[in-house]
Amino acid sequence: MSKQYLTSHTIDEAHITDIFSLAVTSNQIISASGSSSLKVHLTTDPDFPLHQTLERTHKLGCHHLATSKNGSKLASVGFDGKVTIWAFESDQWIEQGEIVDGNKAGEIWAIALSEDGQYFASTTYDGRVNVWDTNAERRKIREFETKGSYGMSIDLSLDGKYTASGHKNGGIYIFNNNTGRLLHSLPGHVKPIRSVAFSPGGKLLAAAGDAKIIALYDVASGEQVANLTGHGAWIFSLDWSNTGEYLLSGAFDGKAKVWSIDQRTCVATHTETDKTIWSVKWLPKIGKNEGFAIAGANRSISFYREATGG
């Protein structure tokens, strides 16, 4: 069964350079690019108006954003190594402080925040995976070691129990945050893993990258339970719908796909551009209809909503 999504709006030239990352809250979408500022648009208005610009945040540009599920915290990391934690107060994002870990370029690459924003996870160029407490002193509380390959992607499970990382050598790891131990080293990949994402219930982990395949793993057992095939280019971004029924993916060739997890098949494909999609995100539901946003090398943010009446 296929699903139909229609373009509902496009913010043309949202940034002056490639848009590398999107993050969402219950009523906002935040975007980051090779330029120094972050932009915040409202998702509750069909025109997605600009609500706030965080000026000159990262002087060399920003490559990753992460928001907490409850919408209280935002993290941003720049190409210069600077990592900023933001708090949402009085309808505005306010800079709360920085995560400091030598802060060389690449020392902190991919990032994730826990549901309540208290915990911040990051990867490094030499394969380490770190977890921080964002409160008050913003101190490091966990440091996991892998086989030393560049950490290209990371995610925290919604319940905060697990951290997953994907690496340049194809390595995928799941760590237990409570015990501080490696839970699984997942087999089957030799090409870079550019995105990892836990399902909302935390039962599945999706991983994808240069193999052009999305692998699904059972978190409890570590077993691979499915391969989702259909992309013809490197996959850069994954995001689960709120219910966990669907998975969204974006690729190097400008194609975005929606996958049914029950059917293990692609139910929608959209080609907004032939330029790279760096980031994809599901949007909060409006009524019964789900929607998503995509952004990348064409410097625009495109919004899609599920077609009604069919």
Side-chain angles (χ1 to χ4, degrees):
M1 184 187 80
S2 64
K3 291 172 73 72
Q4 188 176 9
Y5 295 86
L6 304 175
T7 306
S8 61
H9 190 71
T10 299
I11 303 172
D12 292 316
E13 299 296 326
H15 290 258
I16 59 172
T17 64
D18 287 28
I19 299 169
F20 292 119
S21 190
L22 298 172
V24 297
T25 67
S26 62
N27 61 359
Q28 296 179 342
I29 186 165
I30 304 108
S31 55
S33 72
S35 60
S36 62
S37 299
L38 309 181
K39 295 192 177 181
V40 182
H41 288 85
L42 296 178
T43 56
T44 49
D45 186 306
D47 291 328
F48 298 91
L50 182 66
H51 177 68
Q52 186 181 4
T53 300
L54 305 175
E55 299 279 6
R56 294 179 292 279
T57 302
H58 297 284
K59 60 185 179 182
L60 299 180
C62 174
H63 53 77
H64 283 90
L65 295 172
T67 46
S68 59
K69 187 73 174 176
N70 68 2
S72 66
K73 294 266 182 78
L74 165 71
S76 59
V77 53
F79 285 100
D80 59 355
K82 178 185 174 186
V83 181
T84 304
I85 303 294
W86 309 80
F88 194 65
E89 299 173 3
S90 304
D91 207 35
Q92 298 283 310
W93 289 104
I94 307 297
E95 186 171 339
Q96 193 176 51
E98 295 182 24
I99 297 284
V100 179
D101 188 29
N103 292 85
K104 301 188 291 284
E107 184 71 21
I108 294 177
W109 184 251
I111 59 173
L113 280 169
S114 62
E115 182 178 22
D116 61 0
Q118 182 175 355
Y119 300 108
F120 167 89
S122 65
T123 64
T124 68
Y125 65 90
D126 58 0
R128 285 172 290 121
V129 176
N130 298 314
V131 182
W132 315 73
D133 188 328
T134 65
N135 292 344
E137 297 176 5
R138 290 177 290 281
R139 59 191 177 85
K140 189 189 297 185
I141 58 172
R142 290 273 187 241
E143 182 166 317
F144 301 115
E145 295 287 343
T146 68
K147 292 183 179 178
S149 176
Y150 203 116
M152 303 185 79
S153 51
I154 197 166
D155 197 24
L156 281 166
S157 62
L158 207 53
D159 59 11
K161 283 184 181 176
Y162 304 114
T163 299
S165 62
H167 297 258
K168 189 175 181 180
N169 65 357
I172 305 169
Y173 302 93
I174 300 177
F175 300 95
N176 185 317
N177 292 329
N178 294 330
T179 64
R181 295 180 179 275
L182 175 69
L183 182 66
H184 300 298
S185 175
L186 303 178
H189 291 272
V190 294
K191 293 186 177 180
I193 302 295
R194 297 183 183 270
S195 187
V196 291
F198 284 104
S199 63
K203 292 183 177 179
L204 295 174
L205 178 74
D210 292 11
K212 309 172 190 175
I213 293 168
I214 302 169
L216 296 181
Y217 295 92
D218 180 280
V219 172
S221 68
E223 291 182 14
Q224 186 170 344
V225 295
N227 270 340
L228 306 180
T229 59
H231 271 295
W234 296 353
I235 301 166
F236 281 102
S237 185
L238 298 172
D239 194 41
W240 291 85
S241 65
N242 278 335
T243 61
E245 293 175 89
Y246 298 100
L247 185 66
L248 178 64
S249 59
F252 182 73
D253 59 359
K255 285 186 169 60
K257 291 181 179 285
V258 178
W259 307 83
S260 164
I261 298 306
D262 283 343
Q263 299 171 37
R264 304 286 202 256
T265 188
C266 177
V267 293
T269 300
H270 287 276
T271 308
E272 180 68 23
T273 171
D274 60 357
K275 294 183 178 179
T276 301
I277 295 174
W278 292 114
S279 189
V280 296
K281 284 289 176 187
W282 287 101
L283 299 171
K285 266 191 173 182
I286 297 178
K288 294 183 178 179
N289 295 339
E290 289 191 313
F292 59 86
I294 65 173
N298 72 342
R299 307 176 182 180
S300 302
I301 306 172
S302 294
F303 298 92
Y304 292 85
R305 280 281 172 202
E306 190 176 355
T308 56

